[in-house]
Amino acid sequence: MPREPSGPDGAGAVDVQGISRSVRRADLKAVGEIRRALRELMRHRCAADATEVAELLITELVTNALVHTDQGAEVSASLAAGRLRVEVRDYAGRRPRPYVPTADDGTHGRGLVLVQSLADDWGVDAAELGGGKVVWFELERGYDSGPA
């Protein structure tokens, strides 16, 4: 189940800023647009290295959703209380698994290993309505939780 970023006392979201996008099936051009939207969300609020990591990870999750499923995806990112949370929902029930690819795989198969290695937290939850799943990650470092 997707979770809201919580405030320091766990009492709920505080000063949440975010993005939300729908991506059509196989629309790989949308990946760059989503990455730019995330960069703009994080600009002036986050350290440059945290932004680069977030861009890499959102690219991996959105690309996976578009390449490995037959429908589009819903992408959201929220920034609150020093925490970035990104969620990518697709409509396939199959749960992804990180694996270490062989040398013959070229550049394929590393997406979830990158997420697992670079995110402070990540997971896969069943989508509440309409089936499918939500793959998400959180980054908690390098953020300025104050106003831009």
Side-chain angles (χ1 to χ4, degrees):
M1 174 178 357
R3 295 175 290 184
E4 287 290 320
S6 60
D9 62 357
V14 177
D15 188 29
V16 175
Q17 300 169 348
I19 60 171
S20 180
R21 301 283 191 279
S22 293
V23 184
R24 291 187 319 257
R25 179 180 157 282
D27 184 8
L28 294 176
K29 288 183 181 180
V31 176
E33 295 166 10
I34 289 169
R35 192 172 48 245
R36 284 186 292 280
L38 180 65
R39 184 181 316 127
E40 185 61 28
L41 171 68
M42 296 177 75
R43 191 167 64 105
H44 303 303
R45 296 178 187 94
C46 306
D49 60 337
T51 301
E52 290 172 5
V53 168
E55 286 183 54
L56 173 64
L57 299 185
I58 200 170
T59 298
E60 294 296 337
L61 293 189
V62 174
T63 301
N64 282 352
L66 297 179
V67 168
H68 297 294
T69 68
D70 293 331
Q71 296 182 7
E74 305 294 324
V75 181
S76 66
S78 57
L79 185 58
R83 179 182 304 162
L84 172 73
R85 181 176 176 92
V86 171
E87 298 181 350
V88 178
R89 179 197 178 167
D90 64 45
Y91 298 91
R94 187 178 66 248
R95 294 177 66 87
R97 293 183 322 248
Y99 73 97
V100 177
T102 66
D104 295 341
D105 286 339
T107 60
H108 299 288
R110 291 174 172 82
L112 286 179
V113 172
L114 286 171
V115 174
Q116 187 176 42
S117 298
L118 298 173
D120 292 311
D121 198 9
W122 80 282
V124 181
D125 299 326
E128 288 185 20
L129 300 173
K133 64 185 169 299
V134 176
V135 183
W136 57 269
F137 70 85
E138 292 182 348
L139 296 175
E140 298 183 24
R141 61 192 186 281
Y143 300 102
D144 173 11
S145 58

